[in-house]
Amino acid sequence: MRKTTIATLLALAALSAEAKITITGTSCNYQRELAVSQGDVRFGWKMTSDAVNDRQKAYQIIITESVTGKTVYDSGKRKSAESQNITTPDLPANRHGYEWQVRVWDKDGKPSEWSAKQKIRIVPASADLSAGGISPRWIGAITKADARLPEGRFSNAEFKKDYFKEKWNAVDSLSARSIIMRKGFSNDGRTVTDAVAYVSGMGHYEMRINGKKVGDSEFAPLWSEYSKTVYYNTYDVTSLLTGGHNAISLLLGNGFFNVQRGNRYSKLMTSFGAPQMILRLEINYSDGTSQTIVSDGSWKYALSPITFNSIYGGESFDARLTQSGFDLAHFDDTEWKDAVLTEGTDGKLIPQTAPPVKIMERFAIKEWHYLPLDSVAPASAKTKRSVSPHTFIADMGQNLAGFPEIRVKGRPGQKVTMLVSENLNRQGVCDQRQTGRQHYYEYTIGSDTTETWHPHFSYYGFRYIQVEDAVLEGEPNPDNLPVIADLKSCFIYNSAEEGSEFECSNPLFTQTHRLIERAERSNMQGVLTDCPHREKLGWLEQDHLVGPSLFYNYDMTTLTPKIIRDITDTQKTDGMVPTTAPQYVSFGNLFDDSPEWGSTLLIMPFMYYEQYGDNSIITRNYEAMRRYVDYLTGRAKDGIVSHGLGDWYDVVEGKAGFCHNTPIPLVASAHYILDLQLLTKAARMTGNKADVEKYSRIYDYAVAAFNREFYKADSCYYGSGSQTSNALPLFLGITGKNKAAVLQSLISDIEKHGNRLTTGDVGNRYLFMTLATNGKDELLYKMLNHYDTPGYGFQIKQGATTLTEQWDPRQGSSWNHFMMGQIDEWLFKEIAGIRNMPGTNGMRHILISPTLPGDLTYVKAHTTTLYGKVSVYCSADTITVEIPVGCDATIQLANGFKKKVGSGKHSFGL
């Protein structure tokens, strides 16, 4: 086969005197905009070059004080190829914050231009945002004690019991109301040089300064285990302040901090307190003076126009209650009430460094229809609510997590109601039966002008919007209903940067990646949720089972540490890790404690290390990992762990759920063994020699017990002989001399089922990767290249636009889960062939080894590393790769082709 080089793109540029290296992006502690830190800083940067095989030979970092420009650190020219996780001396807190920039020298010794400056704020080290003798206070409208809010967490088994209802019936209704907190202040005409605000509002807030929203977040701050951690946000607000009079206001809502049922849907009920806030605003002036504004008893509050808000039940907004100019300096707030000093929270205030949730995309109406009048009565009966005779239903074309946004004109007092859902029922209206009802939005018009509104503190998973008591602009309107000039669905998700692409000649696999990506985005919120409607909880197993897909697709540098903190905050005193984190509700022992879920504490930090070459999450959480493994060891009997959910949602006739095909103790014990493997590695990283010896012994004992308990020598398979039963020990590498026989048993079972999988949520990854790493890509391709169930093609055939919970989405439940998205790892790692070189980590020394099984004629993909984009295009006769500066790659194909390349774009004939 021809192996000559067709072209090496950009080679001529390398010969040109104009060739140069350019810094394209910088980060501090992995943050790319305003970086916040409590003193320790780690820098990183990405580069491009006109020259192929260029590299960095040296760098220089300069840190200056903002405003004054005073240099506080200069590394000088340092000979080094390193461009990530560069440490410098810790930065002390100061008035103005810092700026940093970097330049580098290329392989020929030519310097780059200086990078753009990035701002750094050293945030207060205190847990209550106090500094310089000035301490802010938590403030709101009512204390937890006066609200008579029940203490503690509650099992969902308690919700319908009389004593539980009595507890919540006694709660003061003010505790569930959205409020606006406000303060005006003057700076006597001084010129602002810089200003920074540290703020948190529980459960969520929107802050405005002088009439303008601060930041573009939704649902700020991110959710947390509020008894342990509460996040605050840091904003540079210099441009929002004026010389003279100013005003700050915060709109507060409930979120997961305060979940009260009301008369709508709620998965749970728990409260850490009523809505409340804490703020510290530091302002510096050109004359050298400064001013600090804090939340205290001098603030005022009023009820907001949001008359109902629930993270589960929806939101109601009465625009007639809007007080014009409330967020401006000269507003008269004498009728407002004095702020109440509240208890605050038990959780420690820490800066939020993970990306915020934002409105990231908007979708317009794709199709719509009126609800026929003769369908109103049956629709009302079926949905258990009174459906208006003036109703239309809009198909927005994409299932997503978010809320509707309307631009509407009508008469004051007219109300528009909106329901949302993933599917429509037989009557043609929104069907929330499987996803939590009643969830809806109400907007009461406040004026005779056109008004724009979307919910502030609630969201849902939906594709369809049911609009009642309004008409679309241009439609007949004999009843003078409100007229909707525009209707959008707002797709909200965590703003962690996406940096991937996957496409191949088979549209099924291209569309499958799209399903997975849309489902991951829908569930990438304050935590990685299971679904965006029914539960919205952080079920943990998907975080590691679909973890490789997350790391291929998104920048997980700051979100992953937040996820692990949720887990360690939720970890019990005996070391147990619950199945959800944060754990806002208990589902009982069966659903609270499962090793496949809790093992995320160990598995995900190692995936992070694999992707970014950063072991800080491992070393920082070593004790928590050890405690969890000790917990499992304590529950093991003769080396076998027997509790948990096993291979959840594996393939059965009808609706999936509990594990059917594989013994639960086999699945639990396999994850116990995996945890022991990882903990032993972590012990080596942290220098715990005694633990290396201890857990190595426990590991050997557990492996021996596993093989003794589950291996059937006469049949050459494990457990029940199911695909999960055999894939797990093969994946773990514990089959010893029986590997070939067990692999053949696995293949035989696949063939027995007509080349179809029988695995579920847990078993999928281990099946897919076991086949791939043992050279069975052709078989795996055959297993998935169809439009039947079980398989991804069947979901596409059914019209899904996100990954569904059931292999057969017609069986009900959610149409927006990402827990079955394990195949994305195969698409990137095996089909596109992008991975670390064996024995390395951090995606710096890359192996490019694509494969084209079945009838594939090409694959095109890219992923973004800390160093930049790695891309691959491979067909039967050509391979083109692009490697970022700072990395190198080995291209290795099954036909014997092998080539080592540096940075730049390279193309070869095959």
Side-chain angles (χ1 to χ4, degrees):
M1 182 173 289
R2 186 163 54 98
K3 298 181 181 178
T4 57
T5 301
I6 295 177
T8 303
L9 302 179
L10 302 177
L12 293 176
L15 301 176
S16 168
E18 300 300 319
K20 65 179 181 178
I21 197 167
T22 303
I23 297 169
T24 58
T26 59
S27 66
C28 175
N29 295 352
Y30 298 127
Q31 300 164 78
R32 287 177 171 77
E33 296 179 1
L34 173 64
V36 297
S37 170
Q38 291 187 317
D40 58 317
V41 289
R42 292 187 298 169
F43 297 114
W45 53 90
K46 295 178 181 178
M47 299 166 282
T48 61
S49 176
D50 296 335
V52 172
N53 299 323
D54 206 352
R55 63 187 184 277
Q56 171 190 302
K57 292 185 71 174
Y59 70 82
Q60 181 182 12
I61 291 173
I62 290 181
I63 305 174
T64 58
E65 187 177 67
S66 294
V67 179
T68 69
K70 176 185 176 183
T71 298
V72 298
Y73 175 80
D74 186 341
S75 70
K77 183 178 179 180
R78 290 197 173 181
K79 293 182 178 181
S80 174
E82 301 297 328
S83 60
Q84 294 295 329
N85 289 313
I86 307 298
T87 59
T88 63
D90 288 358
L91 296 175
N94 68 345
R95 286 180 58 186
H96 301 293
Y98 299 93
E99 294 177 330
W100 84 280
Q101 58 185 156
V102 62
R103 64 174 174 171
V104 301
W105 282 261
D106 68 11
K107 66 178 182 178
D108 297 321
K110 291 185 294 185
S112 71
E113 300 293 329
W114 285 97
S115 70
K117 293 182 178 180
Q118 182 186 11
K119 290 186 176 182
I120 306 170
R121 276 285 177 178
I122 305 303
V123 299
S126 59
D128 60 359
L129 294 180
S130 62
I134 302 175
S135 300
R137 295 289 303 273
W138 283 97
I139 57 175
I142 189 170
T143 65
K144 187 173 183 179
D146 288 343
R148 300 183 296 277
L149 285 164
E151 296 282 348
R153 314 293 174 85
F154 306 98
S155 165
N156 63 344
E158 297 181 76
F159 294 163
K160 294 183 179 180
K161 294 181 178 179
D162 290 341
Y163 78 86
F164 188 80
K165 293 178 181 178
E166 290 171 6
K167 277 186 177 183
W168 287 92
N169 288 339
V171 172
D172 191 311
S173 61
L174 177 59
S175 67
R177 285 296 304 270
S178 169
I179 58 174
I180 300 174
M181 309 296 301
R182 183 185 187 281
K183 182 176 179 64
F185 65 95
S186 174
N187 59 25
D188 301 321
R190 289 173 289 179
T191 301
V192 177
T193 58
D194 62 299
V196 61
Y198 308 105
V199 58
S200 184
M202 292 288 102
H204 295 306
Y205 73 90
E206 290 185 8
M207 180 165 69
R208 303 178 75 84
I209 294 180
N210 296 328
K212 296 181 180 179
K213 182 177 175 180
V214 179
D216 54 0
S217 301
E218 304 292 328
F219 305 111
L222 298 180
W223 307 334
S224 63
E225 174 52 62
Y226 299 112
S227 64
K228 298 290 183 65
T229 296
V230 173
Y231 292 105
Y232 66 84
N233 300 107
T234 304
Y235 301 102
D236 185 325
V237 296
T238 308
S239 63
L240 299 178
L241 294 172
T242 63
H245 294 282
N246 294 271
I248 314 171
S249 64
L250 270 80
L251 174 69
L252 298 177
N254 292 313
F256 268 111
F257 185 77
N258 185 36
V259 185
Q260 300 189 37
R261 188 182 295 276
N263 59 357
R264 305 193 199 179
Y265 171 70
S266 185
K267 182 67 178 178
L268 56 95
M269 291 181 70
T270 190
S271 179
F272 297 85
Q276 53 196 289
M277 60 157 285
I278 191 168
L279 173 141
R280 180 184 187 88
L281 171 61
E282 297 178 352
I283 311 168
N284 293 306
Y285 299 104
S286 60
D287 62 3
T289 61
S290 63
Q291 184 177 16
T292 301
I293 307 296
V294 297
S295 51
D296 57 23
S298 68
W299 287 56
K300 296 290 190 75
Y301 86 87
L303 297 179
S304 88
I306 300 174
T307 57
F308 177 88
N309 74 102
S310 165
I311 196 71
Y312 284 113
E315 190 164 313
S316 296
F317 189 98
D318 190 340
R320 296 172 300 178
L321 303 178
T322 300
Q323 299 187 51
S324 179
F326 75 90
D327 51 1
L328 299 176
H330 295 289
F331 177 77
D332 182 2
D333 61 10
T334 55
E335 297 300 315
W336 286 37
K337 296 182 179 181
D338 292 335
V340 174
L341 301 180
T342 62
E343 298 96 335
T345 72
D346 294 332
K348 178 182 179 181
L349 274 166
I350 68 169
Q352 177 183 313
T353 57
V357 173
K358 300 181 182 181
I359 299 175
M360 300 297 291
E361 302 175 52
R362 285 179 167 88
F363 291 83
I365 298 174
K366 185 177 181 181
E367 297 176 350
W368 69 277
H369 66 269
Y370 287 117
L371 177 66
L373 287 177
D374 59 3
S375 295
V376 171
S380 299
K382 191 68 175 177
T383 59
K384 296 185 178 181
R385 61 177 298 274
S386 296
V387 178
S388 169
H390 305 290
T391 294
F392 70 89
I393 295 89
D395 178 358
M396 311 306 287
Q398 175 65 53
N399 197 359
L400 53 78
F403 39 66
E405 181 178 69
I406 56 171
R407 192 155 56 87
V408 62
K409 185 175 183 181
R411 300 189 304 276
Q414 289 184 306
K415 183 188 294 184
V416 179
T417 301
M418 290 172 285
L419 285 84
V420 291
S421 69
E422 295 184 314
N423 293 294
L424 304 180
N425 63 20
R426 291 181 181 178
Q427 290 74 37
V429 295
C430 284
D431 185 0
Q432 297 177 343
R433 185 173 57 90
Q434 295 282 348
T435 53
R437 64 183 182 193
Q438 306 290 331
H439 178 104
Y440 56 89
Y441 309 106
E442 295 176 320
Y443 182 74
T444 302
I445 293 171
S447 70
D448 57 4
T449 62
T450 299
E451 299 173 351
T452 301
W453 178 80
H454 65 67
H456 297 269
F457 302 123
S458 189
Y459 79 101
Y460 205 72
F462 70 97
R463 172 174 173 169
Y464 301 93
I465 304 175
Q466 177 177 323
V467 182
E468 298 184 351
D469 297 318
V471 298
L472 285 171
E473 190 173 55
E475 290 299 304
N477 190 14
D479 297 302
N480 291 316
L481 298 172
V483 176
I484 294 180
D486 193 25
L487 176 66
K488 293 282 198 305
S489 61
C490 298
F491 195 175
I492 62 156
Y493 49 80
N494 193 280
S495 54
E497 184 178 349
E498 184 169 1
S500 68
E501 172 196 32
F502 180 86
E503 176 189 320
C504 67
S505 58
N506 187 331
L508 187 157
F509 290 97
T510 303
Q511 292 172 41
T512 294
H513 168 69
R514 176 70 173 175
L515 289 184
I516 295 168
E517 184 273 334
R518 298 281 82 182
E520 288 173 341
R521 276 310 202 185
S522 294
N523 288 288
M524 192 179 287
Q525 303 294 329
V527 302
L528 295 174
T529 63
D530 60 323
C531 60
H533 31 58
R534 186 180 68 227
E535 293 191 7
K536 299 185 173 88
L537 297 176
W539 290 91
L540 293 176
E541 91 294 356
Q542 59 193 355
D543 297 8
H544 74 86
L545 292 167
V546 195
S549 172
L550 296 172
F551 286 109
Y552 273 116
N553 286 318
Y554 313 109
D555 177 357
M556 297 290 290
T557 49
T558 56
L559 185 56
T560 303
K562 191 269 179 191
I563 292 167
I564 301 303
R565 187 180 184 106
D566 288 339
I567 296 173
T568 56
D569 279 354
T570 306
Q571 189 174 23
K572 305 305 180 185
T573 56
D574 63 359
M576 189 268 275
V577 173
T579 50
T580 60
Q583 191 185 29
Y584 297 129
V585 63
S586 168
F587 294 106
N589 289 335
L590 178 63
F591 286 99
D592 280 356
D593 180 11
S594 188
E596 306 81 13
W597 277 245
S599 295
T600 300
L601 174 57
L602 286 93
I603 301 171
M604 200 172 194
F606 273 91
M607 289 181 171
Y608 188 88
Y609 175 60
E610 177 88 359
Q611 180 70 19
Y612 303 122
D614 181 352
N615 68 2
S616 61
I617 302 182
I618 298 169
T619 56
R620 190 165 58 241
N621 295 286
Y622 176 77
E623 285 303 311
M625 294 175 175
R626 184 184 56 76
R627 288 175 55 230
Y628 182 59
V629 171
D630 287 348
Y631 168 78
L632 292 179
T633 301
R635 291 211 59 176
K637 183 177 180 180
D638 298 327
I640 300 299
V641 177
S642 299
H643 69 284
L645 296 171
D647 193 12
W648 181 248
Y649 269 57
D650 57 357
V651 175
V652 295
E653 289 292 330
K655 191 171 183 176
F658 288 98
C659 177
H660 283 81
N661 301 325
T662 305
I664 286 175
L666 184 152
V667 184
S669 297
H671 283 81
Y672 174 49
I673 289 170
L674 177 55
D675 290 344
L676 286 163
Q677 289 178 343
L678 297 175
L679 185 64
T680 304
K681 291 180 181 178
R684 290 193 182 95
M685 285 182 181
T686 55
N688 288 288
K689 294 182 179 179
D691 280 359
V692 172
E693 295 177 4
K694 173 183 175 180
Y695 292 105
S696 294
R697 289 194 303 269
I698 297 173
Y699 168 77
D700 290 340
Y701 180 77
V703 170
F706 186 93
N707 283 315
R708 183 173 59 250
E709 179 73 16
F710 299 115
Y711 183 61
K712 308 294 191 294
D714 56 342
S715 304
C716 298
Y717 64 66
Y718 283 80
S720 62
S722 69
Q723 293 168 20
T724 297
S725 291
N726 288 318
L728 270 166
L730 286 166
F731 179 90
L732 293 170
I734 59 173
T735 55
K737 64 182 181 180
N738 301 314
K739 177 180 177 180
V742 176
L743 180 60
Q744 185 54 53
S745 293
L746 173 61
I747 294 169
S748 296
D749 186 81
I750 293 169
E751 292 171 344
K752 182 179 76 174
H753 287 90
N755 291 322
R756 298 292 187 264
L757 57 82
T758 62
T759 49
D761 176 23
V762 175
N764 288 338
R765 182 188 181 221
Y766 304 111
L767 172 65
F768 298 158
M769 297 317 298
T770 294
L771 291 176
T773 55
N774 283 281
K776 303 300 178 184
D777 290 299
E778 291 288 345
L779 176 58
L780 186 51
Y781 186 83
K782 187 184 298 184
M783 290 171 64
L784 297 171
N785 184 29
H786 60 83
Y787 288 88
D788 302 322
T789 185
Y792 299 98
F794 188 76
Q795 299 182 24
I796 296 168
K797 183 179 177 180
Q798 292 297 312
T801 60
T802 48
L803 199 62
T804 66
E805 183 179 18
Q806 297 269 345
W807 281 121
D808 183 349
R810 299 171 303 178
Q811 295 294 332
S813 302
S814 166
W815 280 52
N816 199 341
H817 263 62
F818 77 93
M819 72 180 193
M820 295 293 195
Q822 298 92 336
I823 198 62
D824 224 28
E825 179 180 9
W826 181 65
L827 297 180
F828 280 96
K829 191 173 186 178
E830 302 295 329
I831 302 301
I834 305 172
R835 67 188 86 170
N836 281 304
M837 280 292 291
T840 71
N841 56 70
M843 294 298 285
R844 189 173 185 184
H845 306 293
I846 302 162
L847 176 63
I848 304 291
S849 184
T851 185
L852 298 174
D855 58 357
L856 285 187
T857 59
Y858 78 88
V859 60
K860 177 183 178 183
H862 77 253
T863 186
T864 302
T865 72
L866 287 179
Y867 304 91
K869 184 170 76 171
V870 176
S871 67
V872 175
Y873 173 85
C874 183
S875 66
D877 54 12
T878 302
I879 184 167
T880 300
V881 303
E882 185 173 2
I883 306 300
V885 175
C887 299
D888 56 62
T890 299
I891 306 170
Q892 186 171 314
L893 303 179
N895 64 8
F897 178 90
K898 188 173 183 178
K899 189 80 173 180
K900 188 168 183 177
V901 298
S903 64
K905 186 175 284 188
H906 310 271
S907 186
F908 303 96
L910 304 176

